[in-house]
Amino acid sequence: MEIEAVKSDDPQEELDIIQEKLEGTREKMELETLDFIEATKKFTSEWIQREIEIAAHSPENAAFPENLRLHNKKPGESNLDLKGLSLKISDIVETHLNHGDYWIHRNALFQPDISRDYMEFKKEKIRKELNSSVRRILGCATELFWKIEKGETENKAWVNELGRRKYVCFLRFSDEMTASLNRYFGMLEELFVLKYEIKEEILRMEGKKP
């Protein structure tokens, strides 16, 4: 990730310029985080509705059990309140994703390291953690209308993790989620470089580096 060099004769002014650029990058990353969260809400709602339709017409190919009851007054169609379901899914996604565990830009104390291996490690770690979280989100979303009864055997698509359902079959993010996460990672590299430059500039001002 190439960052345009910032030049100033005044060391403090140069530091301020880099700091301002870093804060601007943080703001853009926050907006991208919110975009990813919104894309996840859409993905989850569409996934749930698609699986409900599959369960209604071809239960053997659905992630839900054959005895899933779709509370419907018309044969073959669910009367689930899709608007209400969408609002509940929104709350679930917010609870799981809208906090600082995944989003490095929200952590003001993170340690900068601009080595390529380290940045790739951090990106892969975030990607795996988000994948696992989305699997839990799908589980929580299904629990809105499918409760496992005592003694009921888990469907092969799910496992029980810490008392909650988690989806374990193949899962691919939507194109919208993937594009958003890739944009976030691009800005993450920029954030690491800027944070590192600030660290180096402070050391120079303190006379600890030439």
Side-chain angles (χ1 to χ4, degrees):
M1 185 78 189
E2 294 185 1
I3 304 296
E4 183 181 351
V6 179
K7 299 294 183 180
S8 173
D9 294 334
D10 183 345
Q12 183 60 54
E13 181 181 357
E14 184 170 349
L15 181 62
D16 291 343
I17 291 172
I18 301 173
Q19 183 67 46
E20 183 178 355
K21 195 165 187 177
L22 181 140
E23 292 306 318
T25 300
R26 282 188 193 276
E27 291 175 5
K28 290 185 292 184
M29 293 176 77
E30 178 64 20
L31 292 175
E32 198 61 62
T33 295
L34 299 179
D35 284 348
F36 180 86
I37 291 171
E38 290 303 312
T40 303
K41 294 176 184 179
K42 178 182 176 183
F43 169 80
T44 303
S45 294
E46 292 177 350
W47 190 93
I48 292 293
Q49 292 177 40
R50 182 175 65 251
E51 289 296 326
I52 289 174
E53 292 174 1
I54 293 174
H57 298 97
S58 182
E60 67 276 8
N61 295 321
F64 302 116
E66 295 184 16
N67 63 353
L68 175 66
R69 294 195 61 184
L70 304 177
H71 308 290
N72 189 347
K73 297 179 182 178
K74 297 181 180 180
E77 295 180 357
S78 169
N79 77 337
L80 288 171
D81 178 3
L82 296 182
K83 180 178 289 187
L85 179 62
S86 180
L87 290 174
K88 291 177 181 178
I89 286 174
S90 178
D91 290 341
I92 291 171
V93 174
E94 289 283 345
T95 298
H96 281 78
L97 295 185
N98 201 5
H99 50 74
D101 290 352
Y102 310 118
W103 313 110
I104 293 178
H105 73 282
R106 293 182 177 180
N107 182 359
L109 301 178
F110 79 90
Q111 296 300 312
D113 187 333
I114 59 173
S115 70
R116 173 57 59 182
D117 287 345
Y118 182 76
M119 283 192 280
E120 291 303 318
F121 163 76
K122 294 300 289 185
K123 287 190 286 187
E124 186 61 25
K125 183 173 184 290
I126 292 171
R127 187 179 285 108
K128 288 181 178 179
E129 289 176 344
L130 287 173
N131 185 281
S132 182
S133 187
V134 171
R135 291 176 182 278
R136 288 192 293 270
I137 286 170
L138 295 179
C140 290
T142 66
E143 290 175 0
L144 295 174
F145 53 85
W146 168 28
K147 299 294 184 182
I148 296 181
E149 303 296 334
K150 185 176 181 180
E152 179 183 343
T153 303
E154 283 276 14
N155 182 281
K156 64 181 180 180
W158 309 92
V159 297
N160 187 296
E161 184 177 85
L162 300 177
R164 305 305 299 267
R165 187 182 286 119
K166 181 179 179 179
Y167 186 66
V168 293
C169 289
F170 175 77
L171 179 68
R172 186 175 71 176
F173 286 174
S174 69
D175 291 344
E176 189 177 358
M177 292 167 68
T178 299
S180 178
L181 193 57
N182 287 340
R183 289 192 296 269
Y184 183 88
F185 286 155
M187 289 183 282
L188 178 62
E189 293 188 9
E190 181 177 340
L191 186 75
F192 270 73
V193 173
L194 290 168
K195 187 76 171 180
Y196 183 81
E197 287 182 357
I198 289 174
K199 176 184 175 182
E200 293 293 287
E201 194 61 36
I202 291 175
L203 290 176
R204 290 190 187 94
M205 291 175 65
E206 294 175 346
K208 298 178 181 179
K209 288 185 72 72

